[in-house]
C-alpha cells in the first residue's frame, strides 16, 4: 500500500508540474489549471488514504473540506477579476496561518518521541523555519491585501529606525530558535514557537508596510514564494514528499516571477524583500528632476479613438491597461 501512495504522490507532483507549464501560455492555461486541480485533489486523496483515519476523524475532515470549499466558491463568484491580486494576498495569509498551526501541532504531537528520533534535528529545524516563514506570510499578506483593497493607506510606512527594528526582530527570532532547539520541556518549546510566531508576524507587518502600494504586486509574488518555502518545510517536517515538491515549485516559481516583475518595473528585489531597504525615512536633498514628455488624452479623445479603432485590448490587473490601434 505504501508504494501505491508514493505512486499517487508522484502522479500528483507531475500534474502540478504540468500545471505550471500550462499556465505559461494563454492557449494552454485552462489545461494547466485543470491539471493543478487534479494534482491537489489527488494529493489530498492519497494523504487521507495513507493516514487511514477513524470514521469520526474522517467525518471531521470532510466537514472542514466542505466548509472551506463553500467559502472559496462563494468568494470566487463574488470577486471581480480586477480584484484578484488582493484576493490572492488574502489567501496567502491563510497558507501562512496553516503553516504556523501545523508546525506547533506537530511539535506537540512528536515531543514525547523527540529524544529517540534519529531525525530530531531535521524535524526541529523544519518546525522553526515553517513557523517563522508562516508568521511573516500571515501579516505581510494581510497588509498587502489591505493596501490593494483600499482598506489601508497605500503610502509606505517609513518608521524612524525601521531597519534597526527589523534587525532586532530578526535577532530576537534567531534567539528564540536557538532556545527552542534545546527546549527542556514541552511548555518551553511551545512558548518559543509562539514567540517566533509573534515576532515574525510583527516583522512581516513592518517589512510590508514600508513598501508603497504601487509595488504590492511584486510583494504578493514574494509572499507567494514565502508560502511555498513554508510548505516545503512542512513537507520535511511531515515526511511528505508531495508537500516538499509542491512547496519547492511554489517557492522557486514565486521567486523567479518576483525577479521578472522587479526587472520589468525597475525595482530592486532585495529592497522589496527587506521592506524598502535603502530608502530613507526622511526626505532630504533636491527632488529628482522629471524628464521627457507625456501625452494627455481627455475623455472625448478616448471615445473617438475607440470608435475609430479596429481592435481593442483590455488588460485587467491591479491597474487596467487599455490599448487600441487602427
Amino acid at each position: 500500500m505504501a508504494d501505491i501512495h508514493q505512486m499517487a504522490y508522484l502522479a500528483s507532483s507531475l500534474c502540478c508540474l504540468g500545471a505550471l507549464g500550462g499556465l505559461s501560455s494563454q492557449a494552454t492555461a485552462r489545461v494547466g489549471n485543470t491539471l493543478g486541480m487534479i494534482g491537489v485533489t489527488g494529493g489530498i486523496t492519497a494523504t487521507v488514504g495513507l493516514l487511514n483515519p477513524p470514521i469520526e476523524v474522517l467525518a471531521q475532515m470532510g466537514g472542514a473540506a466542505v466548509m472551506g470549499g463553500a467559502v472559496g466558491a462563494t468568494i470566487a463568484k463574488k470577486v471581480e477579476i480586477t480584484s484578484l491580486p488582493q484576493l490572492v494576498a488574502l489567501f496567502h495569509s491563510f497558507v501562512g496561518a496553516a503553516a504556523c498551526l501545523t508546525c506547533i501541532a506537530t511539535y506537540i504531537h512528536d515531543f514525547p518521541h523527540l529524544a529517540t528520533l534519529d531525525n530530531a534535528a531535521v524535524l526541529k529545524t523544519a518546525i522553526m523555519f515553517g513557523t517563522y516563514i508562516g508568521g511573516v506570510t500571515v501579516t505581510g499578506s494581510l497588509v498587502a491585501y489591505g493596501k490593494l483593497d483600499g482598506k489601508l493607506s497605500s503610502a509606505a510606512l517609513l518608521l524612524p529606525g525601521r531597519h534597526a527594528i527589523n534587525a532586532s526582530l530578526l535577532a530576537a527570532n534567531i534567539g528564540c530558535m536557538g532556545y527552542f532547539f534545546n527546549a527542556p520541556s514541552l511548555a518551553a518549546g511551545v512558548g518559543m514557537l509562539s514567540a517566533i510566531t509573534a515576532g515574525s508576524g510583527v516583522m512581516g507587518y513592518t517589512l510590508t508596510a514600508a513598501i508603497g502600494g504601487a509595488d504590492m504586486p511584486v510583494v504578493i509574488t514574494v509572499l507567494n514564494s514565502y508560502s511555498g518555502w513554508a510548505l516545503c518545510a512542512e513537507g520535511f517536517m511531515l515526511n511528505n514528499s508531495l508537500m516538499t515538491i509542491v512547496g519547492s515549485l511554489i517557492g522557486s516559481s514565486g521567486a523567479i516571477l518576483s525577479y521578472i516583475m522587479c526587472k520589468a518595473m525597475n525595482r530592486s528585489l532585495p529592497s522589496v524583500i527587506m521592506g524598502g531597504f535603502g530608502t530613507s525615512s526622511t526626505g532630504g536633498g533636491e527632488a529628482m528632476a522629471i524628464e521627457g514628455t507625456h501625452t494627455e488624452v481627455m475623455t472625448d479623445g478616448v471615445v473617438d479613438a475607440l470608435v475609430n479603432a479596429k481592435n481593442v485590448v483590455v488588460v485587467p490587473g491591479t491597474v487596467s491597461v487599455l490599448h487600441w490601434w487602427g
Side-chain angles (χ1 to χ4, degrees), residues 2-4 12-14 22 78 88-89 91 103 120-121 127 170 177 193 219 231 242 259 281 284 303 306:
D3 292 338
I4 295 177
S12 299
S13 301
L14 292 175
K78 291 184 177 181
V88 171
F91 282 170
C103 289
I127 290 174
L170 179 60
M177 290 179 184
L193 288 178
V219 174
L231 184 63
L242 177 62
Y259 172 77
S281 300
V303 172
L306 290 175

Side-chain angles (χ1 to χ4, degrees), residues 23 28 39 57 63 78 137 161 249 286 320:
L23 292 173
T28 57
V57 177
K78 291 184 177 181
T137 305
L249 288 174
E286 297 182 0
S320 292

Side-chain angles (χ1 to χ4, degrees), residues 143-292:
V143 172
Y145 164 75
K147 288 195 174 191
L148 285 174
D149 205 48
K151 292 179 171 57
L152 296 175
S153 173
S154 62
L157 180 62
L158 303 180
L159 297 173
R162 69 184 187 281
H163 299 315
I165 293 174
N166 290 332
S168 300
L169 289 170
L170 179 60
N173 278 297
I174 293 174
C176 291
M177 290 179 184
Y179 187 84
F180 166 78
F181 210 85
N182 299 286
S185 64
L186 175 62
V190 173
M192 287 301 100
L193 288 178
S194 301
I196 293 172
T197 302
S200 60
V202 175
M203 192 172 180
Y205 172 79
T206 57
L207 287 172
T208 310
I211 303 173
D215 290 333
M216 281 301 110
V218 182
V219 174
I220 290 177
T221 60
V222 172
L223 293 169
N224 178 50
S225 180
Y226 289 170
S227 66
W229 297 125
L231 184 63
C232 185
E234 291 183 69
F236 281 106
M237 179 182 67
L238 300 174
N239 195 25
N240 189 305
S241 58
L242 177 62
M243 293 180 69
T244 304
I245 295 172
V246 174
S248 300
L249 288 174
I250 297 173
S252 57
S253 60
I256 294 171
L257 181 58
S258 300
Y259 172 77
I260 294 173
M261 291 183 67
C262 282
K263 189 175 181 180
M265 297 172 65
N266 196 26
R267 297 292 193 270
S268 170
L269 181 58
S271 69
V272 173
I273 295 175
M274 300 176 67
F277 184 82
T279 58
S280 176
S281 300
T282 57
E286 297 182 0
M288 182 183 67
I290 299 177
E291 300 177 353

